[in-house]
Amino acid sequence: IALPAAPDARPGWLLRSQHRAYARALAALRTYRGAILAEPTGSGKTYVALAVAWRWQRTPVACIVPAPLVDKWRATAARLGLAAVVTSHEQASRGRLPAGTRGLVLVDESHHFRHPDILRYRHVAAFLAGRAALLLTATPVVNRVEDVAHQLRLAVRDDALALEGLDSLAAGIRAAPAALGAV
């Protein structure tokens, strides 16, 4: 699948192996206002996502991450000179979301948001309304392919992939799985 890639300059701290993920994530966000960065563990998804935030906005970026990673995200953003408000998944479950932020939201380990009936999902979905979101995960599919659709529905319009042959994310992605390449 030949995916669109943004030609934008990238920060000098990105590794060469991260350039393609950065360009594709940025292009998908500009087109759909939401994307999943599905890269292997250890590939530097945190750095790619923060590079996208660096290009996307100059105001503090909201980050929703697992509790054990909160300090890592804060330290990495600070080391790169980026303003970030970092909240844990557990805080999100209680309705405590990154205050004082606008624009882009980064959600690390987004596979924890694969089921719309959990409280965490509902709080984050409401928080993301009208905002762009980059979802990061090494395992976008945990139990079934619909896990991907539920994650995407946090940030991408249900009919956003209609031109790619997928009329509705809600109706299931089995009908046109190649369409997911765009996001």
Side-chain angles (χ1 to χ4, degrees):
I1 300 172
L3 301 174
D8 299 55
R10 53 196 171 262
W13 38 264
L14 267 186
L15 299 175
R16 182 181 218 40
S17 61
Q18 298 166 332
H19 292 179
R20 185 184 323 192
Y22 163 78
R24 288 179 174 174
L26 195 55
L29 279 174
R30 286 184 176 146
T31 303
Y32 301 103
R33 306 278 300 160
I36 292 180
L37 178 61
E39 294 286 321
T41 300
S43 62
K45 291 182 293 295
T46 302
Y47 288 91
V48 172
L50 289 171
V52 169
W54 169 82
R55 172 57 61 200
W56 192 266
Q57 67 189 43
R58 295 293 179 235
T59 59
V61 64
C63 304
I64 302 171
V65 308
L69 300 179
V70 167
D71 290 339
K72 174 194 160 227
W73 271 83
R74 286 181 179 145
T76 302
R79 188 171 54 253
L80 300 175
L82 299 172
V85 178
V86 184
T87 299
S88 72
H89 289 186
E90 294 74 13
Q91 289 173 313
S93 293
R94 295 176 183 90
R96 294 187 214 128
L97 294 151
T101 62
R102 297 186 321 251
L104 183 64
V105 179
L106 306 176
V107 181
D108 195 10
E109 296 197 19
S110 66
H111 55 275
H112 293 288
F113 295 88
R114 67 185 180 273
H115 199 288
D117 292 333
I118 59 173
L119 196 56
R120 164 185 313 170
Y121 188 101
R122 291 194 301 260
H123 285 306
V124 170
F127 181 71
L128 292 178
R131 299 176 75 151
L134 182 58
L135 312 171
L136 294 69
T137 181
T139 53
V141 177
V142 176
N143 296 317
R144 55 192 203 284
V145 73
E146 286 78 17
D147 293 347
V148 176
H150 292 311
Q151 290 169 71
L152 284 172
R153 291 182 69 206
L154 286 168
V156 177
R157 275 187 3 258
D158 187 53
D159 66 348
L161 299 175
L163 292 177
E164 286 81 18
L166 184 61
D167 293 333
S168 168
L169 291 173
I173 60 176
R174 292 181 191 272
L180 294 177
V183 291

